Amino acid sequence: MPFFDVIILGAGAAGLFCAARAGQRGLRVLLIDHAERVAEKLRISGGGRANFTNRDLDPAAPQKYFLSANAHFCRSALARFTPQDFIALVQRHGIGFHEKHKGQLFCDRSAKDLIALLLAECDAAQAHGGQVQRWQPCAVERVEWIGETVGEGAAAAGGGHARTRRTGEGAPCYAVHTARGVVRAGALVVATGGLSIPAIGASGLGLEIARQFGLPIVPTRPGLVPLTLEAQAWRAFAPLAGLSLPVRVATGEGKQRMAFEEDLLFTHRGLSGPAALQISSYWQPGAALNIDLAPGQDLEAALLAAKASSRRLIANELAQWLPARLADVWVQPHAAWQRPVHEASDKALRQLAQSLHAWRITPSGTEGYRKAEVTVGGVDTRALSSRTMQARNQPGLYFIGEVVDVTGWLGGYNFQWAWASAAACADALAQSGQGGAAPE
């Protein structure tokens, strides 16, 4: 039965980077994935150019860009492996990149260049006395803990505060039963991702393993996902499909209120674009969205000024500040808005301006995991060490990347979490020798 220092489940961004970093620190790593190709989400992200990080992330307060039931958990890893650290790696491999918007960095040519970087980093392990093997495609059938432990509780899954006595052959280990047979290791890293985009192989394996070992799960839901509206409520706006404009969108009340200024895209079924995707991670079913369709404009003052000098239709006046198609649709419900601006009452113009600055709409749902870029929720971080990513109640078991309850904003933040959590885990594995360190 083959024995490795570390088995990593999942050959996505986090899994590949963790494997490369651990291998280059002298560990024998086996990387297992059920998909035929590595890093499919990375390959298709950013329109095929991979928005691989965000240079604007503040290492002193990275948590403000992330959603988690345990808000400060992500700080440790993100402060120790920053966007600048990953940018340096990209530059070392000679990959061209550019900033597109608000610190978002993309490959100049293709996301495939980034995948090639990760594979090359895995291959480089041999030069450092380590090893990274890949079994792919290879289905994982089950995971078993074979433990010799001391401390409170039994060595069974999730029991007590067990700590390993020793590492290496004959030591407590994980036996992973796969389609290629059984393989063992002193440490198991779960980097299986979330539930989003099942068409490229997303599964709930990581959450199943967490439950097997007694780790709590923060309820999951689609994040960074288009929002849908009931057909009847959306009928008037469906013809605007394809139209995009900058907006300010908000949801929630009091301290729970979140707002973003991004571009909003109208679709046949609802709302998409960066504004909708960003707010979707915070939107709760049944809650309303408050949308300012003309942020930074004073439409009331502008319309009242136009009344004194223009004889154009109100919709034509609005087209100075809004897309003409949107202006035409917006004035249809009220006869008072379908006339020349000089004939409109001040009250009607004020109501029109207010309706555009404070559009209140309640989505009926989302497009679900099939179109979600990420999964909100996951393994509860209160059960993990923020320094090492290791489970507190189960020695040698680590969770990294999207399977963990840390969800970033749109714009490269989720990939930065993948790199940072993978680095924290790999460094901890190297320090423990073979991944058998006791939980923090």
Side-chain angles (χ1 to χ4, degrees):
M1 186 184 301
F3 189 94
F4 290 82
D5 297 321
V6 187
I7 295 173
I8 300 176
L9 304 183
L16 278 170
F17 193 54
C18 185
R21 197 170 175 98
Q24 289 183 29
R25 281 152 177 75
L27 299 184
R28 297 165 297 162
V29 181
L30 175 63
L31 187 60
I32 304 175
D33 199 295
H34 68 282
E36 291 187 4
R37 296 192 292 188
V38 299
E40 272 294 274
K41 184 176 280 191
L42 184 60
R43 183 183 66 81
I44 66 174
S45 70
R49 292 190 176 182
N51 179 194
F52 58 85
T53 193
N54 194 301
R55 71 160 86 242
D56 288 349
L57 188 149
D58 179 5
Q63 70 277 6
K64 64 184 178 182
Y65 310 98
F66 294 85
L67 174 65
S68 174
N70 183 15
H72 292 277
F73 174 85
C74 64
R75 291 180 61 183
S76 175
L78 289 165
R80 286 181 288 136
F81 190 88
T82 68
Q84 288 66 38
D85 292 321
F86 195 77
I87 290 168
L89 178 62
V90 171
Q91 291 173 326
R92 190 159 69 246
H93 282 259
I95 298 174
F97 63 90
H98 60 278
E99 181 176 336
K100 186 174 181 180
H101 178 62
K102 294 185 177 181
Q104 301 169 13
L105 300 187
F106 292 76
C107 296
D108 285 346
R109 198 182 72 86
S110 170
K112 294 179 181 178
D113 293 338
L114 207 58
I115 296 172
L117 176 158
L118 294 170
L119 292 174
E121 288 291 304
C122 287
D123 292 341
Q126 289 187 335
H128 297 271
Q131 174 188 17
V132 177
Q133 286 191 33
R134 276 193 295 125
W135 286 6
Q136 196 173 8
C138 180
V140 173
E141 297 165 355
R142 64 187 176 92
V143 172
E144 179 185 8
W145 165 245
I146 304 172
E148 176 191 343
T149 59
V150 294
E152 299 179 16
H161 301 281
R163 298 174 182 267
T164 55
R165 287 182 185 273
R166 51 197 168 85
T167 61
E169 291 285 356
C173 67
Y174 292 89
V176 180
H177 299 252
T178 79
R180 298 192 187 185
V182 181
V183 62
R184 296 178 301 152
L188 179 67
V189 178
V190 180
T192 51
L195 302 172
S196 55
I197 321 182
I200 62 171
S203 77
L205 176 62
L207 301 180
E208 293 172 12
I209 293 172
R211 292 188 184 98
Q212 175 186 345
F213 289 99
L215 278 72
I217 304 296
V218 175
T220 58
R221 55 189 171 86
L224 300 181
V225 62
L227 299 165
T228 58
L229 278 294
E230 293 289 353
Q232 183 62 33
W234 195 244
R235 181 169 297 174
F237 300 102
L240 296 176
L243 183 148
S244 177
L245 76 163
V247 304
R248 178 177 173 83
V249 58
T251 192
E253 303 294 337
K255 292 183 179 180
Q256 301 302 315
R257 186 174 178 82
M258 283 297 300
F260 294 93
E261 289 196 20
E262 294 280 3
D263 286 353
L264 184 71
L265 175 68
F266 286 77
T267 73
H268 290 291
R269 288 166 47 85
L271 300 171
S272 188
L277 300 186
Q278 291 279 44
I279 207 67
S280 72
S281 294
Y282 295 88
W283 174 76
Q284 296 293 332
L289 300 180
N290 295 284
I291 304 174
D292 184 347
L293 293 166
Q297 301 285 346
D298 187 344
L299 292 182
E300 179 181 328
L303 288 170
L304 290 175
K307 178 180 178 178
S309 59
S310 174
R311 304 182 71 83
R312 295 195 300 177
L313 291 171
I314 292 174
N316 292 338
E317 289 296 332
L318 284 177
Q320 298 179 69
W321 309 288
L322 299 170
R325 288 168 59 199
L326 176 59
D328 288 339
V329 166
W330 202 265
V331 301
Q332 291 307 310
H334 301 284
W337 299 347
Q338 299 174 40
R339 60 183 63 187
V341 66
H342 72 282
E343 295 180 3
S345 68
D346 289 358
K347 180 180 179 181
L349 294 178
R350 290 191 181 98
Q351 289 176 337
L352 173 58
Q354 177 65 18
S355 71
L356 287 162
H357 282 305
W359 183 28
R360 189 174 175 86
I361 190 166
T362 302
S364 59
T366 75
E367 292 286 1
Y369 288 117
R370 68 188 183 91
K371 289 193 175 181
E373 295 193 14
V374 295
T375 301
V376 177
V379 177
D380 193 328
T381 58
R382 286 165 289 203
L384 304 177
S385 162
S386 62
R387 182 178 60 84
T388 66
M389 303 293 120
Q390 185 174 194
R392 295 185 181 279
N393 71 339
Q394 180 63 32
L397 180 62
Y398 301 76
F399 292 84
I400 61 174
E402 190 181 346
V403 72
V404 176
D405 174 37
V406 175
T407 304
W409 290 1
L410 187 73
Y413 295 102
N414 286 293
F415 279 126
Q416 185 58 36
W417 170 245
W419 315 135
S421 60
C425 177
D427 293 351
L429 289 166
Q431 291 170 11
S432 70
Q434 292 182 326
E440 185 184 80

